[in-house]
Amino acid sequence: MDKKSNTIIDKLELNHIKINLNGKRLIDINASVTSGDVLTIMGPSGSGKSTLLAYIGGFLDKAFTASGTVAYGDLCLTDLPPHERRAGILFQDPLLFPHLSVLGNLLLSIPPSEKGKAHRRKLAFNALENSNLEDFADRDPDTLSGGQKARIALQRVLLSRPRFLLLDEPFSKLDMQLRDHTRRLVFDMAKQAGLPMILVTHDQADADAAGGHIHHVLNS
């Protein structure tokens, strides 16, 4: 509880998580991430960074062995299926559905608890306005620029009402100017939403922009 604001601040807790592959320790971490903060996981490609996100999200390949728990506030997530953990995930590629319009991509992510076609469309259009893309509702995702796709992917994740964000090098394929802009957008909007964030990257500039604690994987 935040005594000044009398609001509950939830944390994403990584409790003594250890992940091995063929007897080799890849991940050994004990950390917590407060709402609006970023924990950065750094290391070279292939060092196991994304493996940690897979464990947190609930989709770790069975080739790995893992121990330790993931909790959000008082809720233990470790034994929950992926869809009940409500992890918002941004990857290197925006992964927009090509058979849907921009608006269709956003509508698909809105939880079923948000009832009514008009209400759901309003939520989606509000998301477009927040990204300065209000005129793009009917566009084919393939016609968007890299930066526009990244903004739609972010809004799609936020509309899904995630508990926290997992960022798997989402800026790595953008040019430098777009990378700076998109980083600010992602971190600012996630902080406004009060989401704990875990960022995987091998780029020190990403870590610097994120702020917060940096964890280096064992074999980096």
Side-chain angles (χ1 to χ4, degrees):
M1 178 79 71
D2 185 332
K3 294 181 179 179
K4 292 182 180 180
S5 63
N6 293 322
T7 58
I8 296 175
I9 298 179
D10 285 313
K11 292 182 179 180
L12 181 64
E13 303 274 359
L14 310 181
N15 299 311
H16 305 288
I17 293 176
K18 296 177 173 60
I19 303 176
N20 296 346
L21 178 63
N22 298 325
K24 180 181 179 181
R25 178 66 49 81
L26 298 179
I27 298 293
D28 190 340
I29 187 171
N30 188 56
S32 64
V33 194
T34 303
S35 299
D37 289 339
V38 186
L39 169 65
T40 299
I41 310 297
M42 290 200 72
S45 298
S47 60
K49 305 184 302 299
S50 296
T51 304
L52 175 61
L53 298 191
Y55 183 70
I56 295 169
F59 47 90
L60 182 67
D61 191 285
K62 292 182 178 180
F64 297 89
T65 58
S67 61
T69 61
V70 181
Y72 177 79
D74 295 331
L75 178 64
C76 182
L77 305 179
T78 313
D79 295 327
L80 295 180
H83 69 278
E84 292 184 15
R85 299 188 186 200
R86 286 172 48 198
I89 308 175
L90 287 177
F91 296 100
Q92 293 181 16
D93 295 306
L95 301 179
L96 301 178
F97 295 109
H99 64 289
L100 296 175
S101 66
V102 168
L103 181 65
N105 269 272
L106 296 176
L107 288 171
L108 192 64
S109 69
I110 300 174
S113 57
E114 300 289 349
K115 304 294 186 181
K117 182 177 179 180
H119 172 63
R120 294 171 66 84
R121 286 178 63 86
K122 182 177 180 181
L123 292 175
F125 274 106
N126 286 344
L128 287 171
E129 290 176 359
N130 289 337
S131 294
N132 296 318
L133 295 173
E134 54 267 30
D135 296 329
F136 286 66
D138 296 327
R139 289 277 292 271
D140 182 331
D142 286 340
T143 67
L144 304 183
S145 68
Q148 290 165 346
K149 289 179 181 178
R151 281 184 276 167
I152 294 301
L154 172 61
Q155 291 295 344
R156 186 175 62 178
V157 166
L158 294 177
L159 280 171
S160 71
R161 304 290 190 267
R163 291 188 172 106
F164 53 91
L165 285 187
L166 304 178
L167 309 173
D168 194 356
E169 303 203 49
F171 318 118
S172 62
K173 291 190 175 181
L174 301 174
D175 63 40
M176 189 59 63
Q177 183 176 359
L178 276 177
R179 182 178 297 190
D180 290 342
H181 174 77
T182 306
R183 272 195 300 239
R184 289 195 301 271
L185 181 69
V186 169
F187 295 143
D188 287 350
M189 296 198 73
K191 287 177 181 178
Q192 289 173 15
L195 299 175
M197 292 168 271
I198 297 182
L199 169 68
V200 156
T201 186
H202 61 272
D203 188 335
Q204 185 63 47
D206 287 347
D208 292 342
H213 180 71
I214 300 174
H215 176 84
H216 293 271
V217 295
L218 292 176
N219 55 345
S220 63

